[in-house]
Amino acid sequence: MTTEPGLRERKKAQTRQRISDIATGLFLAKGFDNVTVAEIAEAAEVSKMTVFNYFPRKEDLFFDRGPEAAALIAGAIRGRHDGETPVAALRRMLLDLLRQGHPLAGVGESLSGFWQVVVDSPALLARVREAAEELEDLLTTLFAEAAGGRPDDPAARLAAALVVAACRTAYVATAQRQLAGEGHADVVEDHAALLNTAFDVVERGLGADALRGR
């Protein structure tokens, strides 16, 4: 009896991953705007309702790692090292993902196709802008929490906006290089340098003790 809930969760996770993998394959082959949820459901041998149960929006099928990204960000900031600022913890996490070759690092030998699908789809581009706003909201909450302030603390909002702008600058530049077909090793190395430069600028602007909290 104790293992049954775990089994159900594993099966749900497997179904979610299968739907996402099939959808991604179709998007890469035909373009995001040329694939319907009905096609995805048919290919995955599930109902449209099942697809929407796992992915409330079609865009979520493509950006399926959003919940994982939010969890990693929250974990890095809340579990930061003693004396480490939230911004420094976030920098460390992003560089760790890059070293691991994690898909959320945004850099990979197979990611040029991913970025091309995004660039070619107005719907996905709109979702990227929306996701940036959601990230700013999340970081505002986490930064305010770390500093012991109100959830709507203007200083936390400013810090979050600066971090999002810095990350967007680094990731856009790297995506453009991948789309241009540049070598993976050079792109990875330069992306790490870009992230460090971006976070250096943010930390200088905020001050060494900003949002430290503890």
Side-chain angles (χ1 to χ4, degrees):
M1 295 293 292
T2 56
T3 60
E4 191 173 355
L7 179 61
R8 284 199 299 267
E9 290 305 311
R10 287 196 297 274
K11 286 184 175 179
K12 287 172 63 178
Q14 290 168 358
T15 299
R16 184 184 190 278
Q17 190 62 55
R18 186 178 76 255
I19 294 170
S20 175
D21 289 345
I22 288 170
T24 299
L26 290 170
F27 295 147
L28 290 171
K30 301 171 65 175
F32 180 82
D33 297 326
N34 298 321
V35 178
T36 67
V37 174
E39 288 178 78
I40 295 166
E42 182 179 0
E45 298 182 332
V46 298
S47 68
K48 282 180 61 177
M49 183 60 69
T50 297
V51 174
F52 283 122
N53 284 340
Y54 286 98
F55 303 94
R57 298 167 58 175
K58 180 184 170 186
E59 291 82 359
D60 296 333
L61 283 156
F62 193 72
F63 296 124
D64 65 314
R65 290 182 179 268
E68 179 185 359
L72 285 171
I73 290 167
I77 292 174
R78 288 174 174 154
R80 63 192 182 280
H81 300 160
D82 288 342
E84 187 177 39
T85 67
V87 173
L90 185 58
R91 182 210 294 244
R92 176 171 52 80
M93 184 209 75
L94 292 174
L95 291 173
D96 284 347
L97 291 179
L98 185 62
R99 281 190 288 270
Q100 296 164 14
H102 195 288
L104 285 173
V107 184
E109 294 183 8
S110 62
L111 281 179
S112 59
F114 174 92
W115 290 120
Q116 190 63 59
V117 173
V118 175
V119 168
D120 291 341
S121 170
L124 289 179
L125 289 172
R127 184 68 185 102
V128 168
R129 290 190 290 270
E130 192 176 82
E133 295 176 358
E134 292 169 358
L135 175 58
E136 184 178 313
D137 289 341
L138 173 63
L139 290 176
T140 297
T141 299
L142 293 169
F143 289 166
E145 175 187 290
R150 304 187 318 273
D152 59 347
D153 181 9
R157 173 66 66 180
L158 174 60
L162 290 172
V163 168
V164 170
C167 289
R168 182 191 295 117
T169 299
Y171 279 91
V172 167
T174 296
Q176 289 173 338
R177 292 184 62 185
Q178 290 180 98
L179 285 169
E182 293 194 35
H184 176 65
D186 290 339
V187 172
V188 168
E189 183 177 350
D190 289 348
H191 186 63
L194 266 176
L195 283 174
N196 279 317
T197 298
F199 274 89
D200 285 346
V201 171
V202 170
E203 290 183 334
R204 282 198 301 271
L206 293 174
D209 295 322
L211 306 173
R212 187 178 295 276
R214 60 173 172 82

